[in-house]
Amino acid sequence: MRGLYFIEEVEEIKYIPVAVLLFYLSYLDFKKREVPDSAVLALFIYSLLTCRNFKESFLTAVTVFLLLLIPSIIFEGSIGGGDIKLLTALAFFMGKDFSILALPMFILLVATLIYGLIKRKGLKYSVPLVPYVFVSYLFYFYLEVFLWNFHFSY
């Protein structure tokens, strides 16, 4: 039994390169306000190599892409193209577990909105999104690794 448990632990290693990449992209997004296409492509290729359920990952990625693209077309400056590509690639990597990122990202964004209003920066206060994605991913990583493979079952 111990051997099987060890295999489960080793499988969780696949989340570490994504966390490192998101940390690096957070730094770039914070400093330069851009997400390089090469990093998004690297994440997507890595996702293809580690994908367990292609159909689920593909459907999640398409759903996330459309849900982010439509508001970005309607409301100018709402979300950047690099952020859309990054979140789509991350959705492909995570599959249906991508929904776990929603709650921490929402809480962080609301806190930033409140901060912007308190500091009188207004509702048009612009922030880099990738650091929020990174912190939310760390939350997911914690749940996945330390709380015995937390998954939603639909």
Side-chain angles (χ1 to χ4, degrees):
M1 242 0 187
R2 179 112 170 100
L4 292 177
Y5 180 74
F6 178 71
I7 290 171
E8 294 259 333
E9 282 183 21
V10 170
E11 188 172 314
E12 306 308 332
I13 291 174
K14 75 178 188 177
Y15 298 104
I16 294 172
V18 176
V20 171
L21 180 67
L22 287 174
F23 175 75
Y24 172 70
L25 291 176
S26 295
Y27 173 78
L28 284 181
D29 196 27
F30 191 73
K31 290 292 183 182
K32 298 181 179 180
R33 302 298 293 261
E34 66 179 40
V35 178
D37 291 338
S38 58
V40 175
L41 181 61
L43 175 60
F44 180 69
I45 292 170
Y46 182 73
S47 300
L48 285 173
L49 297 173
T50 60
C51 180
R52 295 184 117 198
N53 185 342
F54 183 82
K55 182 180 176 184
E56 173 189 299
S57 292
F58 179 76
L59 290 175
T60 303
V62 168
T63 302
V64 167
F65 178 75
L66 292 175
L67 286 174
L68 295 173
L69 182 65
I70 292 170
S72 74
I73 293 171
I74 295 172
F75 306 107
E76 186 178 330
S78 61
I79 186 169
D83 295 329
I84 293 172
K85 291 182 277 187
L86 176 66
L87 289 171
T88 301
L90 192 59
F92 189 88
F93 173 73
M94 295 177 69
K96 65 184 174 188
D97 288 346
F98 184 79
S99 61
I100 297 172
L101 292 183
L103 180 63
M105 272 184 47
F106 177 75
I107 291 170
L108 291 168
L109 289 170
V110 167
T112 302
L113 176 66
I114 292 169
Y115 171 79
L117 291 174
I118 290 171
K119 293 292 186 176
R120 302 198 190 283
K121 295 185 181 216
L123 293 175
K124 295 285 186 176
Y125 182 57
S126 174
V127 295
L129 184 62
V130 182
Y132 294 91
V133 175
F134 174 62
V135 171
S136 300
Y137 184 80
L138 289 179
F139 174 75
Y140 166 77
F141 184 73
Y142 172 78
L143 291 177
E144 184 68 27
V145 173
F146 297 111
L147 295 182
W148 300 290
N149 293 321
F150 180 76
H151 289 283
F152 280 126
S153 55
Y154 296 133

